[in-house]
Amino acid sequence: QVQQVESGGGLVQAGGSLRLSCTVSGSIFSRNAMAWFRQAPGKQREFVAAITSYGTTRYTDFVEDRFTIFNDANKNTVYLQMVSLKPEDTAVYYCNTILENIPWGQGTRVTVSP
C-alpha cells in the first residue's frame, strides 16, 4: 500500500528552482514529523529537512538557507521549496517520517545541470 507519493522533480539549470510535493496518507501526516531525504548517484541516502505537525523545522547544513520545508494539513502534503539549486543537489528526493518508519516511495528525481 502506497503511503506517500512524491512529485515535482525535473531538470533545471544551476541557479534554478523547484518545488517538491509529498502527499501522505492522513493518519501518517497527522501523527508524525515528516522529512525529506535525498540520494545522489553512488551515495547513501541523506537527511535534508524535517517539519513537525507544529511547524517546527530543521535542516541539514548543506541546505544553506536555499531550501524551505512547509506543509499543508488540509492536503496532507509536505513541500520542499528549493532555490539556487546546484549541480550537487542532483539526486532522487524522498519523503518519509522523521523516523523513516514507512516504506520508501519511488521518490522524485531532481537533476541540476551546470
Side-chain angles (χ1 to χ4, degrees):
Q1 181 179 357
V2 176
Q3 302 190 66
Q4 77 277 39
V5 178
E6 301 99 337
S7 63
L11 172 63
V12 295
Q13 290 186 329
S17 301
L18 284 174
R19 177 178 291 183
L20 308 183
S21 301
C22 173
T23 300
V24 190
S25 67
S27 61
I28 293 172
F29 185 91
S30 62
R31 298 175 185 176
N32 294 275
M34 296 301 299
W36 283 95
F37 301 83
R38 73 183 188 184
Q39 186 167 18
K43 296 187 178 181
Q44 290 188 332
R45 187 153 38 210
E46 61 183 352
F47 169 80
V48 177
I51 185 167
T52 70
S53 58
Y54 299 103
T56 302
T57 58
R58 179 162 62 93
Y59 299 91
T60 191
D61 290 344
F62 62 71
V63 167
E64 300 172 335
D65 296 327
R66 300 181 297 122
F67 295 1
T68 302
I69 188 171
F70 60 99
N71 59 27
D72 184 338
N74 293 325
K75 298 181 179 180
N76 293 343
T77 299
V78 181
Y79 301 93
L80 186 67
Q81 178 69 49
M82 307 185 294
V83 301
S84 302
L85 284 162
K86 305 175 181 180
E88 50 263 46
D89 294 319
T90 294
V92 178
Y93 285 71
Y94 302 87
C95 73
N96 206 313
T97 71
I98 189 65
L99 299 177
E100 305 179 44
N101 57 2
I102 62 174
W104 292 96
Q106 292 188 333
T108 186
R109 184 175 300 276
V110 172
T111 303
V112 185
S113 63

